[in-house]
Amino acid sequence: MKILVVNCGSSSIKYQLFLMPEKMVLAKGLLERIGEAEPSLLHTARGLSHRSFVDAPTHESGIDLILTTLTSGPNPALAKIEEINAVGHRVVHGAAEFTDSVLIDDGVLSTIERMADLAPLHNPPNLVGIRATMRFLPGIPQVASFDTAFHATLPSAAHSYSLPYELCERLGVRRFGFHGTSHRYVSWRAAELLGINRSEIHCITCHLGNGCSMTAVRNGRSVDTSMGLTPLEGLVMGTRCGDIDPAILLYLMGHGFSAAALNKMCNKESGLLGISGSSNDMRELEERASAGDRRARLAIDIFCYRVKKYIGAYAAVLGRVDAVVFTGGIGENEAGVRAQCCSDLLLLGIEIDPDRNVLTRGREGEIQSDRSRVKLLVVPTDEEGAIAGDTYQLVRRN
Ligand code: AMP
């Protein structure tokens, strides 16, 4: 079965074409700057990569272009588009409605549409991608995989906010959590690597990329997670502030800031970028910090300090920790950040091995010292592969 996985962001579309159940990647690519100047497409098939500047004024034209690229060019991955048996879509917000991936029908589409209020940056482009794919591939099963679904198992003490109860009930204000497909994949993969049954592993997963979140996983299920009603809560991120005193926003409103300005500030102008004043990119910040840039150093310090606080909190939540798992662009590649997040944690049985840590970059590996009671793992995430797996299972079952 050939399954196309589509991840539509606000101005980009990531895609991967899988042969299932082997999970062999037949083609993959990234279309960037949709609707902006000079959109570009990086497409890889049969080991050959090709970047080209393309015409992609809308997401719909982007999907059309991707489908054409899969069947044409010097290295077509498919002889004809009808070879695609199913499509899996990443959808950011499924709220409380979706606790697992689902086959898309009209009811699912309208529910995703309703959720747009909670994820205005993400759900609308996700929906445009689904509708365009349905139009170009009529009659082919389409599946939605939700970032929130893995966190449907959060107990009420973890998902409820200490705000007036009726108000939260009426407006659906609760912790949903995000990056669920990634937390699920890396926690279950960690169980596999450690030879622990998936339904028995207790671990803390750290998805550290441009967006960052951590999850406490008990017996293979999410029991707490750092992102909340929206993907703004929790860790310091590339441009998002994460946890702050909510009264700061009220204070700033008293100084003339509008809700729209605060929304932009917290989502786009804070985090690593806001603290450093120079970049949201960890690689660049490491370089700047080494060259003596104090604010770049401070940004990294606050980032790691926050991760470390959550490790402590989630160790307390779980009571027993088999592993701490690092993933995402930073978690997979930045040994310095991992070392700083795990420093002086022998109290919790956590100690990193400096050599193993530095040698493990962008691949699976164990990085704990010999006396560390807790395994420390690097596991590259595979959200697309997990979505392809869900799509395969759903299509086979129906
Ligand atoms: P992501 O959102 O998962 O793509 O992660 C992006 C973040 O990972 C940025 O802060 C990058 O600086 C950081 N990063 C560090 N090393 C790498 C690498 N080798 N490849 C990709 N991202 C990296």
Side-chain angles (χ1 to χ4, degrees), residues 94-137:
E97 310 284 332
F98 300 108
T99 55
D100 218 335
S101 299
V102 289
L103 275 168
I104 299 173
D105 58 18
D106 286 348
V108 171
L109 277 177
S110 55
T111 311
I112 298 172
E113 204 158 18
R114 267 195 287 120
M115 300 306 153
D117 194 25
L118 290 171
L121 296 178
H122 297 100
N123 274 30
N126 296 160
L127 205 57
V128 172
I130 295 172
R131 291 221 159 95
T133 318
M134 289 175 108
R135 197 161 316 131
F136 293 122
L137 300 172

mmCIF file of all heavy atoms in Angstrom, residues 94-137:
data_model
loop_
_atom_site.group_PDB
_atom_site.id
_atom_site.type_symbol
_atom_site.label_atom_id
_atom_site.label_comp_id
_atom_site.label_asym_id
_atom_site.label_seq_id
_atom_site.Cartn_x
_atom_site.Cartn_y
_atom_site.Cartn_z
ATOM 1 N N GLY A 94 -7.159 18.623 17.860
ATOM 2 C CA GLY A 94 -8.353 17.772 17.797
ATOM 3 C C GLY A 94 -9.197 17.938 19.040
ATOM 4 O O GLY A 94 -10.213 17.272 19.201
ATOM 5 N N ALA A 95 -8.745 18.831 19.961
ATOM 6 C CA ALA A 95 -9.435 19.093 21.238
ATOM 7 C C ALA A 95 -9.835 17.778 21.908
ATOM 8 O O ALA A 95 -9.136 16.783 21.797
ATOM 9 C CB ALA A 95 -10.620 20.013 21.020
ATOM 10 N N ALA A 96 -10.980 17.773 22.596
ATOM 11 C CA ALA A 96 -11.377 16.550 23.313
ATOM 12 C C ALA A 96 -12.132 15.596 22.393
ATOM 13 O O ALA A 96 -12.453 14.479 22.779
ATOM 14 C CB ALA A 96 -12.239 16.924 24.510
ATOM 15 N N GLU A 97 -12.386 16.052 21.162
ATOM 16 C CA GLU A 97 -13.229 15.261 20.252
ATOM 17 C C GLU A 97 -12.515 14.009 19.744
ATOM 18 O O GLU A 97 -13.137 12.984 19.514
ATOM 19 C CB GLU A 97 -13.620 16.099 19.019
ATOM 20 C CG GLU A 97 -14.177 17.464 19.328
ATOM 21 C CD GLU A 97 -15.599 17.399 19.814
ATOM 22 O OE1 GLU A 97 -16.293 16.456 19.439
ATOM 23 O OE2 GLU A 97 -15.988 18.290 20.600
ATOM 24 N N PHE A 98 -11.206 14.129 19.518
ATOM 25 C CA PHE A 98 -10.505 13.026 18.864
ATOM 26 C C PHE A 98 -9.419 12.467 19.781
ATOM 27 O O PHE A 98 -8.479 13.162 20.143
ATOM 28 C CB PHE A 98 -9.878 13.506 17.553
ATOM 29 C CG PHE A 98 -10.899 14.024 16.575
ATOM 30 C CD1 PHE A 98 -11.000 15.383 16.319
ATOM 31 C CD2 PHE A 98 -11.771 13.160 15.936
ATOM 32 C CE1 PHE A 98 -11.937 15.871 15.423
ATOM 33 C CE2 PHE A 98 -12.723 13.635 15.041
ATOM 34 C CZ PHE A 98 -12.808 14.993 14.788
ATOM 35 N N THR A 99 -9.566 11.218 20.143
ATOM 36 C CA THR A 99 -8.588 10.599 21.038
ATOM 37 C C THR A 99 -7.684 9.643 20.261
ATOM 38 O O THR A 99 -6.840 8.984 20.828
ATOM 39 C CB THR A 99 -9.309 9.828 22.153
ATOM 40 O OG1 THR A 99 -10.201 8.892 21.542
ATOM 41 C CG2 THR A 99 -10.113 10.766 23.034
ATOM 42 N N ASP A 100 -7.875 9.588 18.952
ATOM 43 C CA ASP A 100 -7.066 8.723 18.089
ATOM 44 C C ASP A 100 -7.160 9.254 16.657
ATOM 45 O O ASP A 100 -8.010 10.103 16.374
ATOM 46 C CB ASP A 100 -7.636 7.292 18.154
ATOM 47 C CG ASP A 100 -6.498 6.275 18.136
ATOM 48 O OD1 ASP A 100 -5.420 6.612 17.621
ATOM 49 O OD2 ASP A 100 -6.714 5.159 18.641
ATOM 50 N N SER A 101 -6.338 8.695 15.772
ATOM 51 C CA SER A 101 -6.465 9.076 14.364
ATOM 52 C C SER A 101 -7.800 8.569 13.830
ATOM 53 O O SER A 101 -8.297 7.537 14.285
ATOM 54 C CB SER A 101 -5.324 8.456 13.560
ATOM 55 O OG SER A 101 -4.085 8.929 14.054
ATOM 56 N N VAL A 102 -8.373 9.305 12.849
ATOM 57 C CA VAL A 102 -9.691 8.899 12.315
ATOM 58 C C VAL A 102 -9.720 9.035 10.796
ATOM 59 O O VAL A 102 -9.023 9.864 10.214
ATOM 60 C CB VAL A 102 -10.860 9.772 12.856
ATOM 61 C CG1 VAL A 102 -11.141 9.486 14.303
ATOM 62 C CG2 VAL A 102 -10.605 11.261 12.624
ATOM 63 N N LEU A 103 -10.582 8.229 10.165
ATOM 64 C CA LEU A 103 -10.877 8.404 8.746
ATOM 65 C C LEU A 103 -11.696 9.679 8.600
ATOM 66 O O LEU A 103 -12.622 9.922 9.381
ATOM 67 C CB LEU A 103 -11.700 7.219 8.227
ATOM 68 C CG LEU A 103 -10.898 5.990 7.797
ATOM 69 C CD1 LEU A 103 -11.834 4.808 7.599
ATOM 70 C CD2 LEU A 103 -10.097 6.247 6.524
ATOM 71 N N ILE A 104 -11.342 10.492 7.607
ATOM 72 C CA ILE A 104 -12.006 11.798 7.477
ATOM 73 C C ILE A 104 -13.325 11.664 6.721
ATOM 74 O O ILE A 104 -13.374 11.061 5.653
ATOM 75 C CB ILE A 104 -11.071 12.792 6.741
ATOM 76 C CG1 ILE A 104 -9.780 12.991 7.553
ATOM 77 C CG2 ILE A 104 -11.774 14.122 6.485
ATOM 78 C CD1 ILE A 104 -8.731 13.810 6.861
ATOM 79 N N ASP A 105 -14.386 12.236 7.319
ATOM 80 C CA ASP A 105 -15.667 12.381 6.608
ATOM 81 C C ASP A 105 -16.146 13.812 6.852
ATOM 82 O O ASP A 105 -15.421 14.622 7.456
ATOM 83 C CB ASP A 105 -16.690 11.330 7.076
ATOM 84 C CG ASP A 105 -16.950 11.421 8.582
ATOM 85 O OD1 ASP A 105 -16.630 12.474 9.187
ATOM 86 O OD2 ASP A 105 -17.454 10.450 9.152
ATOM 87 N N ASP A 106 -17.346 14.131 6.406
ATOM 88 C CA ASP A 106 -17.822 15.518 6.525
ATOM 89 C C ASP A 106 -17.891 15.967 7.984
ATOM 90 O O ASP A 106 -17.570 17.112 8.308
ATOM 91 C CB ASP A 106 -19.214 15.661 5.887
ATOM 92 C CG ASP A 106 -19.109 15.624 4.364
ATOM 93 O OD1 ASP A 106 -17.978 15.725 3.856
ATOM 94 O OD2 ASP A 106 -20.149 15.473 3.706
ATOM 95 N N GLY A 107 -18.310 15.035 8.871
ATOM 96 C CA GLY A 107 -18.411 15.363 10.296
ATOM 97 C C GLY A 107 -17.040 15.708 10.873
ATOM 98 O O GLY A 107 -16.887 16.684 11.613
ATOM 99 N N VAL A 108 -16.016 14.927 10.504
ATOM 100 C CA VAL A 108 -14.651 15.177 10.998
ATOM 101 C C VAL A 108 -14.173 16.538 10.488
ATOM 102 O O VAL A 108 -13.609 17.343 11.243
ATOM 103 C CB VAL A 108 -13.702 14.041 10.546
ATOM 104 C CG1 VAL A 108 -12.253 14.388 10.852
ATOM 105 C CG2 VAL A 108 -14.087 12.719 11.212
ATOM 106 N N LEU A 109 -14.451 16.811 9.206
ATOM 107 C CA LEU A 109 -14.017 18.092 8.625
ATOM 108 C C LEU A 109 -14.636 19.270 9.374
ATOM 109 O O LEU A 109 -13.935 20.240 9.696
ATOM 110 C CB LEU A 109 -14.436 18.170 7.155
ATOM 111 C CG LEU A 109 -13.514 17.479 6.151
ATOM 112 C CD1 LEU A 109 -14.093 17.578 4.755
ATOM 113 C CD2 LEU A 109 -12.116 18.086 6.176
ATOM 114 N N SER A 110 -15.927 19.176 9.684
ATOM 115 C CA SER A 110 -16.541 20.339 10.349
ATOM 116 C C SER A 110 -16.049 20.462 11.793
ATOM 117 O O SER A 110 -15.923 21.575 12.309
ATOM 118 C CB SER A 110 -18.064 20.333 10.241
ATOM 119 O OG SER A 110 -18.555 19.130 10.733
ATOM 120 N N THR A 111 -15.726 19.336 12.444
ATOM 121 C CA THR A 111 -15.182 19.449 13.806
ATOM 122 C C THR A 111 -13.797 20.109 13.767
ATOM 123 O O THR A 111 -13.498 20.980 14.590
ATOM 124 C CB THR A 111 -15.078 18.056 14.469
ATOM 125 O OG1 THR A 111 -16.319 17.380 14.304
ATOM 126 C CG2 THR A 111 -14.771 18.164 15.941
ATOM 127 N N ILE A 112 -12.961 19.718 12.809
ATOM 128 C CA ILE A 112 -11.632 20.341 12.710
ATOM 129 C C ILE A 112 -11.789 21.845 12.465
ATOM 130 O O ILE A 112 -11.050 22.660 13.005
ATOM 131 C CB ILE A 112 -10.793 19.697 11.578
ATOM 132 C CG1 ILE A 112 -10.543 18.210 11.859
ATOM 133 C CG2 ILE A 112 -9.462 20.430 11.400
ATOM 134 C CD1 ILE A 112 -9.884 17.453 10.709
ATOM 135 N N GLU A 113 -12.782 22.188 11.676
ATOM 136 C CA GLU A 113 -13.052 23.593 11.373
ATOM 137 C C GLU A 113 -13.412 24.356 12.661
ATOM 138 O O GLU A 113 -12.926 25.455 12.900
ATOM 139 C CB GLU A 113 -14.206 23.677 10.383
ATOM 140 C CG GLU A 113 -14.216 24.947 9.585
ATOM 141 C CD GLU A 113 -14.993 24.775 8.291
ATOM 142 O OE1 GLU A 113 -15.791 23.809 8.173
ATOM 143 O OE2 GLU A 113 -14.797 25.610 7.400
ATOM 144 N N ARG A 114 -14.237 23.725 13.490
ATOM 145 C CA ARG A 114 -14.630 24.369 14.757
ATOM 146 C C ARG A 114 -13.428 24.598 15.668
ATOM 147 O O ARG A 114 -13.369 25.549 16.421
ATOM 148 C CB ARG A 114 -15.676 23.510 15.477
ATOM 149 C CG ARG A 114 -17.099 23.900 15.155
ATOM 150 C CD ARG A 114 -18.056 23.275 16.147
ATOM 151 N NE ARG A 114 -18.201 21.845 15.918
ATOM 152 C CZ ARG A 114 -17.906 20.898 16.804
ATOM 153 N NH1 ARG A 114 -17.463 21.221 18.001
ATOM 154 N NH2 ARG A 114 -18.050 19.618 16.506
ATOM 155 N N MET A 115 -12.450 23.684 15.609
ATOM 156 C CA MET A 115 -11.268 23.771 16.474
ATOM 157 C C MET A 115 -10.328 24.914 16.069
ATOM 158 O O MET A 115 -9.372 25.217 16.773
ATOM 159 C CB MET A 115 -10.442 22.472 16.421
ATOM 160 C CG MET A 115 -11.160 21.241 16.847
ATOM 161 S SD MET A 115 -11.855 21.483 18.448
ATOM 162 C CE MET A 115 -13.212 20.370 18.345
ATOM 163 N N ALA A 116 -10.578 25.505 14.897
ATOM 164 C CA ALA A 116 -9.673 26.536 14.376
ATOM 165 C C ALA A 116 -9.554 27.701 15.357
ATOM 166 O O ALA A 116 -8.518 28.356 15.439
ATOM 167 C CB ALA A 116 -10.171 27.031 13.027
ATOM 168 N N ASP A 117 -10.583 27.927 16.134
ATOM 169 C CA ASP A 117 -10.589 28.967 17.135
ATOM 170 C C ASP A 117 -9.436 28.759 18.138
ATOM 171 O O ASP A 117 -8.794 29.710 18.588
ATOM 172 C CB ASP A 117 -11.950 28.832 17.857
ATOM 173 C CG ASP A 117 -12.266 30.029 18.701
ATOM 174 O OD1 ASP A 117 -11.722 31.092 18.380
ATOM 175 O OD2 ASP A 117 -13.046 29.890 19.662
ATOM 176 N N LEU A 118 -9.174 27.479 18.481
ATOM 177 C CA LEU A 118 -8.135 27.153 19.462
ATOM 178 C C LEU A 118 -6.739 27.100 18.839
ATOM 179 O O LEU A 118 -5.739 27.207 19.538
ATOM 180 C CB LEU A 118 -8.441 25.794 20.119
ATOM 181 C CG LEU A 118 -9.641 25.758 21.065
ATOM 182 C CD1 LEU A 118 -9.963 24.331 21.465
ATOM 183 C CD2 LEU A 118 -9.340 26.587 22.311
ATOM 184 N N ALA A 119 -6.662 26.854 17.538
ATOM 185 C CA ALA A 119 -5.346 26.781 16.881
ATOM 186 C C ALA A 119 -5.405 27.554 15.567
ATOM 187 O O ALA A 119 -5.337 26.976 14.486
ATOM 188 C CB ALA A 119 -4.964 25.317 16.634
ATOM 189 N N PRO A 120 -5.522 28.891 15.673
ATOM 190 C CA PRO A 120 -5.756 29.693 14.470
ATOM 191 C C PRO A 120 -4.594 29.652 13.469
ATOM 192 O O PRO A 120 -4.788 29.860 12.280
ATOM 193 C CB PRO A 120 -5.962 31.114 15.017
ATOM 194 C CG PRO A 120 -5.379 31.098 16.389
ATOM 195 C CD PRO A 120 -5.470 29.708 16.896
ATOM 196 N N LEU A 121 -3.375 29.380 13.965
ATOM 197 C CA LEU A 121 -2.233 29.343 13.044
ATOM 198 C C LEU A 121 -2.138 28.002 12.334
ATOM 199 O O LEU A 121 -1.546 27.904 11.258
ATOM 200 C CB LEU A 121 -0.911 29.573 13.801
ATOM 201 C CG LEU A 121 -0.727 30.926 14.461
ATOM 202 C CD1 LEU A 121 0.598 30.983 15.198
ATOM 203 C CD2 LEU A 121 -0.780 32.022 13.401
ATOM 204 N N HIS A 122 -2.688 26.949 12.964
ATOM 205 C CA HIS A 122 -2.429 25.602 12.465
ATOM 206 C C HIS A 122 -3.612 24.930 11.786
ATOM 207 O O HIS A 122 -3.477 24.407 10.689
ATOM 208 C CB HIS A 122 -1.925 24.716 13.614
ATOM 209 C CG HIS A 122 -0.624 25.182 14.185
ATOM 210 N ND1 HIS A 122 -0.536 25.908 15.342
ATOM 211 C CD2 HIS A 122 0.631 25.029 13.741
ATOM 212 C CE1 HIS A 122 0.728 26.186 15.590
ATOM 213 N NE2 HIS A 122 1.466 25.657 14.635
ATOM 214 N N ASN A 123 -4.783 24.895 12.455
ATOM 215 C CA ASN A 123 -5.896 24.112 11.890
ATOM 216 C C ASN A 123 -6.368 24.607 10.513
ATOM 217 O O ASN A 123 -6.636 23.768 9.651
ATOM 218 C CB ASN A 123 -7.070 24.031 12.867
ATOM 219 C CG ASN A 123 -6.893 22.884 13.847
ATOM 220 O OD1 ASN A 123 -5.772 22.525 14.185
ATOM 221 N ND2 ASN A 123 -7.990 22.292 14.299
ATOM 222 N N PRO A 124 -6.456 25.944 10.272
ATOM 223 C CA PRO A 124 -6.916 26.363 8.940
ATOM 224 C C PRO A 124 -6.031 25.834 7.799
ATOM 225 O O PRO A 124 -6.562 25.244 6.855
ATOM 226 C CB PRO A 124 -6.940 27.891 9.030
ATOM 227 C CG PRO A 124 -7.168 28.149 10.495
ATOM 228 C CD PRO A 124 -6.386 27.088 11.207
ATOM 229 N N PRO A 125 -4.674 25.963 7.876
ATOM 230 C CA PRO A 125 -3.893 25.372 6.767
ATOM 231 C C PRO A 125 -4.013 23.849 6.703
ATOM 232 O O PRO A 125 -4.036 23.278 5.617
ATOM 233 C CB PRO A 125 -2.441 25.801 7.047
ATOM 234 C CG PRO A 125 -2.415 26.363 8.407
ATOM 235 C CD PRO A 125 -3.810 26.769 8.762
ATOM 236 N N ASN A 126 -4.134 23.171 7.867
ATOM 237 C CA ASN A 126 -4.335 21.714 7.865
ATOM 238 C C ASN A 126 -5.585 21.372 7.051
ATOM 239 O O ASN A 126 -5.586 20.465 6.215
ATOM 240 C CB ASN A 126 -4.543 21.161 9.279
ATOM 241 C CG ASN A 126 -3.339 21.335 10.207
ATOM 242 O OD1 ASN A 126 -3.479 21.285 11.422
ATOM 243 N ND2 ASN A 126 -2.161 21.541 9.656
ATOM 244 N N LEU A 127 -6.633 22.152 7.290
ATOM 245 C CA LEU A 127 -7.919 21.903 6.638
ATOM 246 C C LEU A 127 -7.854 22.167 5.131
ATOM 247 O O LEU A 127 -8.394 21.397 4.327
ATOM 248 C CB LEU A 127 -8.955 22.834 7.283
ATOM 249 C CG LEU A 127 -10.392 22.437 7.258
ATOM 250 C CD1 LEU A 127 -10.601 21.075 7.909
ATOM 251 C CD2 LEU A 127 -11.221 23.476 8.018
ATOM 252 N N VAL A 128 -7.161 23.239 4.762
ATOM 253 C CA VAL A 128 -7.018 23.555 3.329
ATOM 254 C C VAL A 128 -6.301 22.397 2.637
ATOM 255 O O VAL A 128 -6.682 21.964 1.542
ATOM 256 C CB VAL A 128 -6.226 24.882 3.145
ATOM 257 C CG1 VAL A 128 -5.905 25.110 1.684
ATOM 258 C CG2 VAL A 128 -7.011 26.047 3.703
ATOM 259 N N GLY A 129 -5.272 21.859 3.301
ATOM 260 C CA GLY A 129 -4.517 20.726 2.734
ATOM 261 C C GLY A 129 -5.407 19.509 2.539
ATOM 262 O O GLY A 129 -5.355 18.842 1.501
ATOM 263 N N ILE A 130 -6.257 19.233 3.534
ATOM 264 C CA ILE A 130 -7.143 18.062 3.436
ATOM 265 C C ILE A 130 -8.122 18.248 2.278
ATOM 266 O O ILE A 130 -8.298 17.367 1.434
ATOM 267 C CB ILE A 130 -7.930 17.856 4.758
ATOM 268 C CG1 ILE A 130 -6.973 17.504 5.896
ATOM 269 C CG2 ILE A 130 -8.994 16.773 4.592
ATOM 270 C CD1 ILE A 130 -7.626 17.458 7.281
ATOM 271 N N ARG A 131 -8.727 19.448 2.217
ATOM 272 C CA ARG A 131 -9.743 19.680 1.177
ATOM 273 C C ARG A 131 -9.112 19.592 -0.215
ATOM 274 O O ARG A 131 -9.692 18.997 -1.131
ATOM 275 C CB ARG A 131 -10.386 21.054 1.377
ATOM 276 C CG ARG A 131 -11.256 21.122 2.625
ATOM 277 C CD ARG A 131 -12.545 21.907 2.362
ATOM 278 N NE ARG A 131 -13.569 21.579 3.338
ATOM 279 C CZ ARG A 131 -13.805 22.284 4.452
ATOM 280 N NH1 ARG A 131 -13.102 23.361 4.705
ATOM 281 N NH2 ARG A 131 -14.753 21.897 5.292
ATOM 282 N N ALA A 132 -7.898 20.161 -0.361
ATOM 283 C CA ALA A 132 -7.234 20.133 -1.680
ATOM 284 C C ALA A 132 -6.904 18.690 -2.056
ATOM 285 O O ALA A 132 -7.134 18.267 -3.194
ATOM 286 C CB ALA A 132 -5.971 20.988 -1.645
ATOM 287 N N THR A 133 -6.395 17.924 -1.106
ATOM 288 C CA THR A 133 -6.030 16.541 -1.420
ATOM 289 C C THR A 133 -7.279 15.734 -1.786
ATOM 290 O O THR A 133 -7.242 14.902 -2.688
ATOM 291 C CB THR A 133 -5.310 15.893 -0.212
ATOM 292 O OG1 THR A 133 -4.404 16.844 0.315
ATOM 293 C CG2 THR A 133 -4.547 14.661 -0.628
ATOM 294 N N MET A 134 -8.391 16.012 -1.094
ATOM 295 C CA MET A 134 -9.639 15.294 -1.415
ATOM 296 C C MET A 134 -10.100 15.624 -2.831
ATOM 297 O O MET A 134 -10.630 14.774 -3.538
ATOM 298 C CB MET A 134 -10.736 15.664 -0.411
ATOM 299 C CG MET A 134 -10.497 15.082 0.970
ATOM 300 S SD MET A 134 -11.709 15.659 2.142
ATOM 301 C CE MET A 134 -12.657 14.174 2.362
ATOM 302 N N ARG A 135 -9.882 16.886 -3.212
ATOM 303 C CA ARG A 135 -10.308 17.284 -4.557
ATOM 304 C C ARG A 135 -9.440 16.620 -5.629
ATOM 305 O O ARG A 135 -9.947 16.129 -6.626
ATOM 306 C CB ARG A 135 -10.207 18.820 -4.685
ATOM 307 C CG ARG A 135 -10.981 19.370 -5.858
ATOM 308 C CD ARG A 135 -11.242 20.850 -5.707
ATOM 309 N NE ARG A 135 -11.667 21.209 -4.368
ATOM 310 C CZ ARG A 135 -11.143 22.210 -3.645
ATOM 311 N NH1 ARG A 135 -10.179 22.945 -4.145
ATOM 312 N NH2 ARG A 135 -11.583 22.480 -2.445
ATOM 313 N N PHE A 136 -8.125 16.588 -5.389
ATOM 314 C CA PHE A 136 -7.235 16.026 -6.421
ATOM 315 C C PHE A 136 -7.212 14.494 -6.407
ATOM 316 O O PHE A 136 -6.866 13.875 -7.405
ATOM 317 C CB PHE A 136 -5.807 16.565 -6.250
ATOM 318 C CG PHE A 136 -5.692 18.033 -6.524
ATOM 319 C CD1 PHE A 136 -5.205 18.907 -5.555
ATOM 320 C CD2 PHE A 136 -6.076 18.571 -7.750
ATOM 321 C CE1 PHE A 136 -5.105 20.269 -5.797
ATOM 322 C CE2 PHE A 136 -5.979 19.939 -8.006
ATOM 323 C CZ PHE A 136 -5.500 20.784 -7.029
ATOM 324 N N LEU A 137 -7.530 13.902 -5.261
ATOM 325 C CA LEU A 137 -7.531 12.436 -5.163
ATOM 326 C C LEU A 137 -8.902 11.960 -4.680
ATOM 327 O O LEU A 137 -9.038 11.430 -3.569
ATOM 328 C CB LEU A 137 -6.440 11.965 -4.186
ATOM 329 C CG LEU A 137 -4.999 12.338 -4.518
ATOM 330 C CD1 LEU A 137 -4.065 11.991 -3.375
ATOM 331 C CD2 LEU A 137 -4.546 11.622 -5.782
#
